[in-house]
mmCIF file of all heavy atoms in Angstrom:
data_model
loop_
_atom_site.group_PDB
_atom_site.id
_atom_site.type_symbol
_atom_site.label_atom_id
_atom_site.label_comp_id
_atom_site.label_asym_id
_atom_site.label_seq_id
_atom_site.Cartn_x
_atom_site.Cartn_y
_atom_site.Cartn_z
ATOM 1 N N THR A 89 13.016 14.016 29.190
ATOM 2 C CA THR A 89 14.040 14.702 29.876
ATOM 3 C C THR A 89 13.700 16.264 29.673
ATOM 4 O O THR A 89 13.640 16.683 28.569
ATOM 5 C CB THR A 89 15.461 14.471 29.366
ATOM 6 O OG1 THR A 89 15.687 13.075 29.316
ATOM 7 C CG2 THR A 89 16.550 15.197 30.317
ATOM 8 N N ASN A 90 13.682 16.863 30.787
ATOM 9 C CA ASN A 90 13.470 18.447 30.735
ATOM 10 C C ASN A 90 14.963 18.986 31.051
ATOM 11 O O ASN A 90 15.355 19.025 32.152
ATOM 12 C CB ASN A 90 12.547 18.931 31.739
ATOM 13 C CG ASN A 90 12.353 20.517 31.498
ATOM 14 O OD1 ASN A 90 13.118 21.143 30.925
ATOM 15 N ND2 ASN A 90 11.172 20.989 32.052
ATOM 16 N N VAL A 91 15.683 19.346 30.006
ATOM 17 C CA VAL A 91 17.068 19.758 30.137
ATOM 18 C C VAL A 91 17.116 21.105 30.793
ATOM 19 O O VAL A 91 18.189 21.557 31.002
ATOM 20 C CB VAL A 91 17.827 19.747 28.735
ATOM 21 C CG1 VAL A 91 17.796 18.386 28.189
ATOM 22 C CG2 VAL A 91 17.220 20.754 27.813
ATOM 23 N N SER A 92 16.002 21.897 30.871
ATOM 24 C CA SER A 92 15.999 23.287 31.497
ATOM 25 C C SER A 92 15.455 23.177 32.912
ATOM 26 O O SER A 92 15.273 24.128 33.587
ATOM 27 C CB SER A 92 14.980 24.117 30.661
ATOM 28 O OG SER A 92 15.413 24.159 29.276
ATOM 29 N N ASP A 93 15.254 21.875 33.467
ATOM 30 C CA ASP A 93 14.657 21.671 34.836
ATOM 31 C C ASP A 93 15.539 20.666 35.597
ATOM 32 O O ASP A 93 16.746 20.703 35.503
ATOM 33 C CB ASP A 93 13.212 21.377 34.793
ATOM 34 C CG ASP A 93 12.504 21.576 36.150
ATOM 35 O OD1 ASP A 93 13.093 22.293 37.035
ATOM 36 O OD2 ASP A 93 11.547 21.060 36.305
ATOM 37 N N ASP A 94 14.945 19.651 36.076
ATOM 38 C CA ASP A 94 15.632 18.644 36.842
ATOM 39 C C ASP A 94 15.842 17.335 36.180
ATOM 40 O O ASP A 94 16.033 16.358 36.765
ATOM 41 C CB ASP A 94 14.742 18.276 38.144
ATOM 42 C CG ASP A 94 14.789 19.470 39.079
ATOM 43 O OD1 ASP A 94 15.807 20.271 39.078
ATOM 44 O OD2 ASP A 94 13.893 19.702 39.892
ATOM 45 N N GLY A 95 15.838 17.320 34.802
ATOM 46 C CA GLY A 95 16.259 16.239 33.997
ATOM 47 C C GLY A 95 15.204 15.194 33.716
ATOM 48 O O GLY A 95 14.120 15.530 33.319
ATOM 49 N N HIS A 96 15.479 13.887 33.973
ATOM 50 C CA HIS A 96 14.567 12.767 33.619
ATOM 51 C C HIS A 96 13.348 12.731 34.510
ATOM 52 O O HIS A 96 13.491 12.885 35.813
ATOM 53 C CB HIS A 96 15.334 11.403 33.686
ATOM 54 C CG HIS A 96 16.472 11.219 32.884
ATOM 55 N ND1 HIS A 96 16.536 11.440 31.632
ATOM 56 C CD2 HIS A 96 17.817 10.951 33.282
ATOM 57 C CE1 HIS A 96 17.771 11.237 31.065
ATOM 58 N NE2 HIS A 96 18.505 10.929 32.004
ATOM 59 N N PHE A 97 12.161 12.360 33.993
ATOM 60 C CA PHE A 97 10.939 12.090 34.651
ATOM 61 C C PHE A 97 10.080 11.260 33.767
ATOM 62 O O PHE A 97 10.231 11.259 32.602
ATOM 63 C CB PHE A 97 10.352 13.434 35.153
ATOM 64 C CG PHE A 97 9.792 14.244 34.087
ATOM 65 C CD1 PHE A 97 8.429 14.144 33.660
ATOM 66 C CD2 PHE A 97 10.539 15.113 33.417
ATOM 67 C CE1 PHE A 97 7.941 14.916 32.645
ATOM 68 C CE2 PHE A 97 10.078 15.889 32.306
ATOM 69 C CZ PHE A 97 8.701 15.770 31.961
ATOM 70 N N PHE A 98 9.071 10.692 34.404
ATOM 71 C CA PHE A 98 7.956 10.042 33.709
ATOM 72 C C PHE A 98 6.653 10.309 34.202
ATOM 73 O O PHE A 98 6.528 10.756 35.416
ATOM 74 C CB PHE A 98 8.210 8.438 33.605
ATOM 75 C CG PHE A 98 7.987 7.706 34.958
ATOM 76 C CD1 PHE A 98 6.747 7.254 35.284
ATOM 77 C CD2 PHE A 98 9.226 7.460 35.827
ATOM 78 C CE1 PHE A 98 6.562 6.596 36.495
ATOM 79 C CE2 PHE A 98 8.913 6.842 37.002
ATOM 80 C CZ PHE A 98 7.689 6.344 37.328
ATOM 81 N N VAL A 99 5.737 10.331 33.328
ATOM 82 C CA VAL A 99 4.281 10.579 33.580
ATOM 83 C C VAL A 99 3.469 9.341 33.130
ATOM 84 O O VAL A 99 3.889 8.639 32.339
ATOM 85 C CB VAL A 99 3.773 11.776 33.019
ATOM 86 C CG1 VAL A 99 4.337 13.036 33.707
ATOM 87 C CG2 VAL A 99 3.952 11.953 31.549
ATOM 88 N N THR A 100 2.297 9.084 33.683
ATOM 89 C CA THR A 100 1.448 7.865 33.330
ATOM 90 C C THR A 100 0.032 8.387 33.117
ATOM 91 O O THR A 100 -0.411 9.498 33.565
ATOM 92 C CB THR A 100 1.417 6.957 34.491
ATOM 93 O OG1 THR A 100 0.981 7.495 35.666
ATOM 94 C CG2 THR A 100 2.886 6.527 34.811
ATOM 95 N N ALA A 101 -0.656 7.528 32.372
ATOM 96 C CA ALA A 101 -2.082 7.803 32.088
ATOM 97 C C ALA A 101 -2.707 6.450 31.714
ATOM 98 O O ALA A 101 -2.083 5.551 31.159
ATOM 99 C CB ALA A 101 -2.267 8.815 30.926
ATOM 100 N N ASP A 102 -4.074 6.342 32.128
ATOM 101 C CA ASP A 102 -4.827 5.232 31.602
ATOM 102 C C ASP A 102 -5.327 5.440 30.243
ATOM 103 O O ASP A 102 -5.481 4.441 29.445
ATOM 104 C CB ASP A 102 -6.034 5.047 32.628
ATOM 105 C CG ASP A 102 -5.615 4.745 34.047
ATOM 106 O OD1 ASP A 102 -4.601 4.030 34.196
ATOM 107 O OD2 ASP A 102 -6.327 5.079 34.925
ATOM 108 N N ASP A 103 -5.566 6.621 29.892
ATOM 109 C CA ASP A 103 -5.964 7.051 28.499
ATOM 110 C C ASP A 103 -5.074 8.214 28.098
ATOM 111 O O ASP A 103 -4.939 9.257 28.609
ATOM 112 C CB ASP A 103 -7.450 7.546 28.625
ATOM 113 C CG ASP A 103 -7.939 8.115 27.241
ATOM 114 O OD1 ASP A 103 -7.184 7.990 26.352
ATOM 115 O OD2 ASP A 103 -9.215 8.483 27.208
#
Side-chain angles (χ1 to χ4, degrees):
T89 311
N90 188 341
V91 300
S92 304
D93 194 20
D94 289 332
H96 301 302
F97 66 95
F98 68 88
V99 290
T100 62
D102 297 330
D103 177 0

